[in-house]
Amino acid sequence: MTLYDDSWINVICLQPGEVSREKVYPMHQTSIDGVEDMSTLAELHEAAIMHNLYQRYQKDNIYTNIGSILAAVNPYKPIAGLYDLAAVDLYSQHHLGELPPHIFAVANECYRCLWKRHDSQCVLISGESGAGKTESTKLLLQFLSVMSQNSAGTPPSERTTHVEEAIVQSSPIMEAFGNAKTVYNNNSSRFGKFILLHFSQNGNIHGGCIID
């Protein structure tokens, strides 16, 4: 019997005489096999969610959907091919849900909806210290940067401007004004950041700013 709590995993061993239907019941097949979208779990409770995330984490599948929400678990190591240009190209050609969960899928959906709905799009990144919020932000900007450079009708002169790079490079400067050391992170931000990107009619990043 496996329980999940703040210490991540506790294993409890029961003697045959202690096992009863009130204490233990068979795990549903979806919890055994694992799912990419946890809204499809037949058993939707904290233990099933944590077990599913753990199973996927063991296979280096750090992204899992919960409906329209993307849950990410920091792998604390590089995963080959996860964020290269081939992955950007692959996810840019598919709609949300057609490929395995990925932060590029979220970024692509926002980029598509920007033109399909002609309305502003917002991505909220939330998590505890050391969860990888800053890295996730950089990955979103990386994807949007490629889409910006490849946008149809963008004049060559505009393709040479990298506003998104300037925003990413300014992040360490802002971090210096509010750093603190935590158990999980030596360089933890003590404030929230709102990154605003402006897109031209051609689909390329035209400007942006950071508000704390």
Side-chain angles (χ1 to χ4, degrees):
M1 182 178 180
T2 305
L3 299 179
Y4 298 88
D5 57 15
D6 292 337
S7 61
W8 185 239
I9 299 177
N10 279 338
V11 179
I12 300 176
C13 298
L14 300 177
Q15 299 300 320
E18 299 177 292
V19 177
S20 65
R21 290 186 179 273
E22 289 74 25
K23 290 184 178 180
V24 181
Y25 58 90
M27 184 183 290
H28 192 272
Q29 195 63 41
T30 56
S31 295
I32 297 174
D33 298 334
V35 294
E36 291 184 345
D37 188 343
M38 291 192 289
S39 64
T40 63
L41 281 171
E43 302 164 323
L44 192 56
H45 48 69
E46 185 176 354
I49 290 172
M50 295 298 291
H51 183 66
N52 190 75
L53 289 173
Y54 178 73
Q55 280 185 303
R56 292 180 58 76
Y57 182 82
Q58 293 294 97
K59 301 174 183 177
D60 285 341
N61 296 321
I62 63 170
Y63 293 112
T64 308
N65 285 330
I66 312 173
S68 60
I69 300 172
L70 180 68
V73 182
N74 194 335
Y76 293 103
K77 67 176 182 179
I79 299 178
L82 190 59
Y83 304 118
D84 57 18
L85 288 177
V88 174
D89 183 63
L90 178 64
Y91 278 88
S92 67
Q93 299 178 38
H94 291 81
H95 292 282
L96 189 66
E98 293 179 352
L99 292 174
H102 199 290
I103 194 168
F104 288 165
V106 175
N108 185 57
E109 184 69 9
C110 285
Y111 192 78
R112 285 176 179 270
C113 289
L114 192 64
W115 310 116
K116 182 171 65 177
R117 301 177 183 174
H118 302 287
D119 196 9
S120 299
Q121 300 296 309
C122 181
V123 179
L124 175 64
I125 302 175
S126 179
E128 65 177 14
S129 175
K133 298 182 293 297
T134 300
E135 290 302 314
S136 293
T137 302
K138 291 178 181 178
L139 291 168
L140 283 167
L141 289 171
Q142 173 189 332
F143 183 92
L144 294 174
S145 171
V146 176
M147 298 300 288
S148 172
Q149 300 300 308
N150 296 338
S151 57
T154 304
S157 60
E158 291 188 18
R159 293 187 184 185
T160 60
T161 60
H162 300 284
V163 178
E164 63 284 343
E165 289 184 9
I167 292 175
V168 171
Q169 291 172 5
S170 67
S171 183
I173 300 174
M174 292 195 67
E175 299 286 346
F177 290 98
N179 286 356
K181 185 174 181 179
T182 67
V183 174
Y184 299 105
N185 191 3
N186 285 333
N187 185 26
S188 179
S189 302
R190 296 294 90 195
F191 55 88
K193 284 181 290 185
F194 179 74
I195 299 177
L196 181 65
L197 296 179
H198 299 285
F199 288 84
S200 69
Q201 291 296 324
N202 293 323
N204 66 305
I205 297 175
H206 200 62
C209 64
I210 301 178
I211 303 170
D212 63 69

